[in-house]
Amino acid sequence: MSDLLLADPPLVLCLSGHDPGGGAGIHADLEAIAAQGAHALTVITALTVQDSRDVRRVEAVAPPLIAEQLAVLLADSRIAAIKIGLLGDAAQVPVIVETIRRTGVPVICDPVLRAGGGAEVSAAPTLAALRDTLLPHVDLLTPNAAEARRLAPDAADTAAAAAALRGLGCRQVLVTGGDEADAEVRNLWLDAEGRAREYRWPRLAARFHGAGCTLAAAIAGRLAVGDDWASAIERGQRYTHAALAAAYRTGQGRLIPRRNRQWN
């Protein structure tokens, strides 16, 4: 067996909600990060009642419990990247920001504001804490177009929304168009210098559960294994598109990405 296969994988710290159906949240993080050759350390921010169709309830994990778990992990392990998904409530944000300050590693945030089935999962105080307190510590924000519009309500289009979000302090923004009505999926990356790059992907006919989680986690995994930002963002999208193209059904709602393969 080669030394490469025996090497310890780099670690990605994931803070996300628990999806009992395995489509999104921590399940998506574990699978997508493993497929990149990294290992996920997981801290659950919220327990949910949901299925493949929609979210019915979100129960936040208490910030002191999150802080205790983070302290234990950081004392035991050296992480290479952080991936943030669903926030349970606004009170969790200062704990997460303190962890970001302590580690100094790249931070990827998928701002989960609404479930694919339409249920609201982030209350107004949580949204405000995300915008005002967390975003200045985020290296890459990966909203879908609807989330970008909600986070930057005065923006005329997704490009203006991405620029507005950079203006709030986050270094880079990747706005995805998977749930838009365009013939192609168009994703827009605004990099740390404010330069824009558009990616186009063939639109798939099905509807998916966990696509945004999968993309953000895959990018975090690519960064952890040593990719630069441009490569991580492109390869993360390629991996996610392949996982969506091979998606499967676990219930009566949206399909789940097939993440357990090294598609890219």
Side-chain angles (χ1 to χ4, degrees):
M1 187 175 293
S2 72
D3 291 341
L4 180 61
L5 292 177
L6 291 172
D8 294 334
L11 306 178
V12 179
L13 175 62
C14 301
L15 298 106
S16 303
H18 177 256
D19 173 8
I26 287 292
H27 279 81
D29 295 348
L30 284 163
E31 294 174 347
I33 287 168
Q36 314 312 313
H39 176 81
L41 304 177
T42 58
V43 175
I44 293 175
T45 56
L47 301 177
T48 68
V49 178
Q50 65 175 297
D51 55 20
S52 62
R53 291 173 291 193
D54 208 355
V55 175
R56 288 162 174 76
R57 183 179 174 189
V58 176
E59 189 73 21
V61 175
L65 182 56
I66 292 177
E68 184 178 355
Q69 183 60 77
L70 287 169
V72 169
L73 286 176
L74 295 181
D76 185 53
S77 303
R78 183 174 182 177
I79 63 172
I82 294 174
K83 185 267 178 181
I84 302 168
L86 174 67
L87 299 173
D89 59 29
Q92 296 174 351
V93 172
V95 174
I96 296 171
V97 168
E98 179 58 28
T99 296
I100 294 170
R101 287 175 172 152
R102 286 181 59 189
T103 59
V105 300
V107 178
I108 299 87
C109 178
D110 173 32
V112 182
L113 306 181
R114 179 179 294 170
E120 296 287 343
V121 294
S122 290
T126 307
L127 179 62
L130 169 65
R131 281 172 45 94
D132 300 338
T133 306
L134 182 58
L135 278 192
H137 302 277
V138 169
D139 293 292
L140 175 67
L141 189 72
T142 61
N144 61 34
E147 290 164 340
R149 286 191 288 265
R150 187 169 172 188
L151 288 166
D154 296 329
D157 52 28
T158 55
L165 292 171
R166 281 195 72 242
L168 291 174
C170 88
R171 292 183 63 238
Q172 304 172 84
V173 181
L174 176 66
V175 181
T176 62
D179 286 339
E180 296 292 277
D182 301 320
E184 289 182 297
V185 173
R186 294 186 294 173
N187 298 340
L188 177 68
W189 173 35
L190 207 60
D191 72 10
E193 305 300 323
R195 296 170 300 201
R197 176 175 177 182
E198 185 178 75
Y199 302 86
R200 297 193 177 208
W201 302 93
R203 183 166 296 282
L204 302 170
R207 307 292 280 178
F208 305 102
H209 179 49
C213 306
T214 301
L215 174 61
I219 293 171
R222 295 311 318 168
L223 290 170
V225 300
D227 285 5
D228 60 23
W229 280 105
S231 179
I233 287 170
E234 183 165 358
R235 294 183 72 177
Q237 290 177 83
R238 189 183 311 134
Y239 164 83
T240 301
H241 184 80
L244 295 177
Y248 58 95
R249 185 175 300 281
T250 62
Q252 300 174 52
R254 295 186 173 211
L255 304 186
I256 290 176
R258 194 177 300 274
R259 292 177 287 251
N260 59 352
R261 299 184 186 179
Q262 294 180 329
W263 294 109
N264 55 356

